[in-house]
Amino acid sequence: MDPTRDTAETRDLRERARAFFHDNRPSDPGFKLPQTFLEVESEEQFLWLRAWQKQVYGAGLLGVEWPVAYGGKGMPSGSQRVVAEEMARAGVPFLVNRIGLDWAGPTILAVGTEEQKQRYLRNILSCDEVWCQGFSEPGAGSDLASLRTSAVRSGDHYVVNGHKVWTTQALWADFMILLARTDPSAPKHAGISYFLFPMKSKGVSVRPLVKMTGEGGFNQVLFEDVEVPASCLLAGEGDGWRLAVMTLAFERGASEGSATGGSLAAGGEVARLVALAKKVSRDGRPASEDAVMRDRIAELAIEEEALLASALRARVPGLVEERPLALPFLGKLVATEFGQKAAAVGQELEGPLAQYAFGAERAADGGHFQRAYMNSFGFTIGGGTSEIQRNLVGERILGLPKST
Amino acid sequence: MQSNARIPDDFGYGEEQALLRREAKKLLESSCKTEDVRRWMETPAGFDEGLWARAAEAGWLGLVVPAAHGGSEMSMTSLAVLMEEMGRVLLPLPFFGTLFATLVLREAASEAERARWLPGIAEGKVRAAVGLEERRGGWNFAHVEATARREGERILLSGEKELVVDAPSAALLLVTATEPEGPSLFALPAASPGVTVSPDKLVDATRRSGAVRLADVVVSDADRIGEKGAAASILGRVMPRIWTALAAEMVGGADRLLGMTTEYAKIRQQFGRPIGAFQAVKFPLVDLLARIELSRSLVYRAAAAIDHAPAQAEKLARMAKAHASDTYAFAAAKSVQLHGGIGFTWECDVQLYFKRAQWSRAAFGDAAHHRKRIAEMVIDG
C-alpha cells in the first residue's frame, strides 16, 4: 500500500496498474458479486469474473513473475505484489482462478514437465481453464494423509474412485489438482500421488454445498470408475505428499511464486474501517470519535503495518538470519487471524446496525463486515486450520516435540 | 503529508550491521551472563565499570556520535541491532540515558556544546541523562511545570523531574524547563549547586533512574540546547529514535524469553512426555513467536524510516513501541506461567526479564498512549 517502497523496476508497473484499475474499474454487474473466490455460486457470477480476469491478464498485470515462455512477463520477485497492492487499493473484484494462479500453477511450474508447463500455465493466467483442488475428504481433513480416494493404474490409464469435499469452484473447473492413493500397501504418506485431473471426465459428479452465509461456492465431488490418461500424473507415483506440501506452502503464502502475489501483505482493511467509522454513529457522534473504537482501529493499524513490514523483512536475509522460515510459516496464520479480527471490529463499529444482514437496505456498508466476518472462518479453517498451522510452526520452527 | 523519500527494501541492513551484530553477541554473551546481572543489580551503582569501559572500547557509546566529535555516526538500523542484542542479555549499563542525551545534543546543540560534551561521551568518560517527565505531565514531554527564570545574565532552573533514566550515574543532565517562549532544553553538570538526584527503587532492579530536583540551579543562555521554547520540536525529532531503540531492546528480551521457555518445554517432562508436546503449551509459544516476529518487523521498519523517510518515522516508531510493549508483556506472562512453579521463583532467570518487561512497557509511553496518537494519525489524517 506504500508506493514509497518501490524500486525503479516496480514503479512503472505500479503506475500502469494504478492507471488500469482506475480506468477499468468494472461497473456494477446488477447482481450480487461474491466477496472472495470461495463463494462463487452462480454461472452468471463465474462468467463475469472470468471476463474480468481475462481483462487484467490482457493488460499485462497477471503472472508477471512467471516466465515469458508460459505466458508471463519474467519480472523479478516482488513485482506481482505491487499489482496486488494496487488491486486492494482500487477495491476492484478479485481474480477468480485463484487455485490455478496460486496453487496449481506454481506447483506445475516447479515440478511439471516442459509439456505440462506449455499445456496448462498460459490458460491459467488467461482464465481459459479454471482449476479446483481435490485434497480434503470427508474422513481426511486436518489429517490429510489419511485420504482414501484411489487411483489404480490400468495400462495407460488410471481409474479413480472416491469422494472429495470442500471443493471450491468444482462446478466450473476444467481441471483439479487431485491427491489419490496409488499404493494402498505403502505407509500412508508414501502411497499418495498427485494428478492434473480433467474434471469433464465421465464418472465425475459435483454436488454443491451451502455455507453458513447461505452462499454456495464449494462442493462435494464423487468419482466413480473415472478413467484418466496416465500422463495426468504430476512428477512420479508416490510423490503426492511432497507435492501437496509444496502446494500448501504456496496456498499459505509461505513460498514465493504465486501469480497473484497474495500472501502476508494485503492491506486496505484499516482504510475501510476508518471510512466506516466516519459514517456510522455511536452515542450520537461519529464512531471515529469514540475513544474505545479509536483504540481498536489503532491496534489494527499497527497489526496491518506489521504484516506489511514482515512481508518486506522476509526478503532481507540478514534480518531473518536466526529463523529464516518463521515468517513464511507464520504468514497464513497471522494474516487470516488479522482478517478475522478486522471484520469483528468492523461489526463493532457499526453498533446496532451490525444486526442487519449482508444486503439489507438499511445496513451500513451493505453489511460487508457481517459477511466478511463469517467468511473469515473459511480462511482460518481452509488450507490447514489455524490449529494445524500452530502445530506446524511449533514443530518445524520452534523444534517442539510432535503433538500426538 | 507524505514524503517522497523511500524506505529501502533492504531496511538499510547490510554487512556493516551484520558485523555489528556478530561482535555485540560475542562481547555480550561472554561478559554479561545472568549471574553477572544478578550480582551487579545488587550493587548501589547497578553496573560494572569494567563492562562500561569495554562498551566504550567497542565503540558503542560513540555509535551515534558524529564523526567530527569522535564517534562512528552509524544509522538507526545499526542502533536497533545493538539494542536488540543488549536486550537479550538484559545489559545493565547506564547506556540508555547517555544515548538519549547524545541524540538530543546531536540534534540541536550548538557546535560549542557538542564539542564540549560529545567527545567525552564517545570515549565513555561522560555519562548523561535526560530529564523530561514530571508527576503531572507523565509521558507528555510538552507539559513542563519546571521553570527557567531569567535574572540578568543568569537563568535559574526550578522544578522536579522524575524517573530520569540513568540519572544517578550521570555527570551531565539535560532537562526541560519553561520560559516565556515555551519549554526549552538546558544542559548542566549534575554536580551544579541546587541539583539533587534521588535514586529510585524500580520494579526492574537492573535499571537505574532517579528523581532530579532543581532548586534555583544557575545556567546561562549558552547552556540552552536549541532555540528558546524549542524543546517540543527537538524532542519531536528525537523521540522516534528513543521509542524505536527501546522497542528493539524489548524485542531482544522477548526473544530470549521465547528461547528459554521453548527449551524448558522440550526438557521438562510431565505425564511421561515433554510438556512442549502438549498443545496447551505449544500454542502460546507459537503465538509468542508470531508476535515477536511482527514486533521485529516494525522495529526495523521504523529504524529504516528514521534513516531514510523521516515523514513516516513518528508513526512507525510509535507502532514499534506499542507493539513491542504488548509483545514483551505477553512473553513475560507466558514464560512465568509455562515454567510453572519454578517460573515463580527468584532463582529462575525469567523473573529478571519479567521485570524488565514491566519497566519497559511503562517507559516512554505504553501501548495505549501510543495507540492514542496513532489513532489521530490514522483516523484524523
Side-chain angles (χ1 to χ4, degrees), chain A residues 318-355:
Chain A
L319 282 174
V320 292
E321 216 169 30
E322 288 181 42
R323 284 186 291 257
L325 291 176
L327 286 174
F329 268 77
L330 284 164
K332 195 241 176 197
L333 176 68
V334 294
T336 58
E337 293 198 341
F338 167 79
Q340 195 159 82
K341 195 159 141 189
V345 170
Q347 295 179 91
E348 217 178 349
L349 289 171
E350 290 177 14
L353 305 188
Q355 294 171 91

Side-chain angles (χ1 to χ4, degrees), chain A residues 14-330:
Chain A
R14 185 183 296 282
E15 278 165 19
R16 279 198 297 121
R18 187 169 294 188
F20 175 81
F21 292 122
H22 178 269
D23 297 342
N24 296 281
R25 170 192 297 282
S27 50
D28 184 352
F31 52 83
K32 183 184 80 172
L33 274 181
Q35 199 161 15
T36 75
F37 74 102
L38 298 171
E39 292 94 37
V40 186
E41 59 182 353
S42 71
E43 190 153 11
E44 186 180 44
Q45 291 174 333
F46 170 70
L47 292 174
W48 189 94
L49 286 161
R50 180 157 83 173
W52 168 240
Q53 181 177 329
K54 252 183 199 311
Q55 204 184 341
V56 176
Y57 177 58
L61 296 173
L62 197 50
V64 300
E65 294 172 25
W66 287 12
V68 178
Y70 313 126
K73 296 275 173 203
M75 293 178 74
S77 158
S79 306
Q80 195 67 54
R81 181 170 46 88
V82 168
V83 178
E85 286 171 10
E86 289 305 315
M87 288 189 75
R89 184 177 175 277
V92 293
F94 59 89
L95 300 166
V96 71
N97 198 11
R98 177 77 185 275
I99 294 168
L101 292 166
D102 284 358
W103 311 350
T107 309
I108 294 169
L109 199 53
V111 301
T113 61
E114 182 58 29
E115 199 183 340
Q116 285 168 330
K117 293 180 196 174
Q118 292 288 357
R119 166 65 188 83
Y120 298 113
L121 293 174
R122 187 183 301 269
N123 286 345
I124 286 175
L125 294 174
S126 65
C127 215
D128 282 318
E129 286 171 345
V130 172
W131 287 68
C132 65
Q133 179 193 39
F135 282 18
S136 294
E137 296 180 5
S142 289
D143 182 13
L144 182 59
S146 67
L147 61 88
R148 293 167 62 180
T149 293
S150 66
V152 177
R153 182 80 184 236
S154 158
D156 58 354
H157 282 74
Y158 283 94
V159 180
V160 179
N161 278 286
H163 184 180
K164 295 289 175 179
V165 75
W166 324 132
T167 317
T168 296
Q169 291 184 22
L171 276 173
W172 300 284
D174 299 286
F175 289 93
M176 168 190 270
I177 40 177
L178 170 70
L179 293 182
R181 192 164 297 285
T182 44
D183 183 357
S185 61
K188 70 177 184 177
H189 291 85
I192 299 171
S193 298
Y194 193 116
F195 294 90
L196 308 176
F197 177 90
M199 285 292 283
K200 308 299 183 200
S201 310
K202 187 163 169 281
V204 176
S205 50
V206 178
R207 297 184 192 160
L209 287 163
V210 181
K211 304 182 185 194
M212 66 183 279
T213 56
E215 293 170 296
F218 59 9
N219 309 276
Q220 309 194 60
V221 181
L222 291 108
F223 307 85
E224 223 173 310
D225 293 328
V226 185
E227 282 191 18
V228 297
S231 61
C232 293
L233 185 68
L234 186 64
E237 263 194 25
D239 284 339
W241 185 254
R242 177 175 69 87
L243 301 189
V245 168
M246 182 188 289
T247 298
L248 288 167
F250 287 121
E251 175 175 352
R252 293 165 187 162
S255 298
E256 296 280 331
S258 77
T260 62
S263 61
L264 273 178
E269 284 304 307
V270 172
R272 186 159 195 163
L273 290 172
V274 168
L276 175 68
K278 289 179 176 173
K279 276 194 309 206
V280 295
S281 294
R282 287 182 85 90
D283 299 329
R285 301 165 62 96
S288 60
E289 293 176 16
D290 182 282
V292 175
M293 295 300 122
R294 290 170 69 84
D295 193 59
R296 297 254 202 286
I297 291 173
E299 200 176 341
L300 288 168
I302 295 168
E303 282 179 33
E304 188 173 72
E305 188 66 44
L307 292 175
L308 290 165
S310 295
L312 294 165
R313 183 167 69 87
R315 295 159 192 267
V316 183
L319 282 174
V320 292
E321 216 169 30
E322 288 181 42
R323 284 186 291 257
L325 291 176
L327 286 174
F329 268 77
L330 284 164

Side-chain angles (χ1 to χ4, degrees), chain B residues 5 23 30-31 40 54-55 74 96 103 106 109 121 142 149 168 195 204 216 251 255 281 310 323 366 371:
Chain B
E23 288 181 347
S30 63
S31 53
W40 296 326
R54 294 182 68 184
M74 287 175 80
F96 207 81
L103 292 169
R106 193 183 77 167
I121 285 176
R149 195 171 80 253
V195 175
D204 173 14
D216 288 336
V251 167
D255 200 285
V281 173
H323 202 273
D366 64 8
R371 284 201 299 264

Side-chain angles (χ1 to χ4, degrees), chain B residues 92-109:
Chain B
L93 281 183
F95 181 81
F96 207 81
T98 301
L99 170 70
F100 196 173
T102 306
L103 292 169
V104 172
L105 291 167
R106 193 183 77 167
E107 182 67 36

Side-chain angles (χ1 to χ4, degrees), chain B residues 119-132:
Chain B
I121 285 176
E123 284 175 53
K125 289 183 181 148
V126 177
R127 283 189 284 265
V130 183
L132 303 180

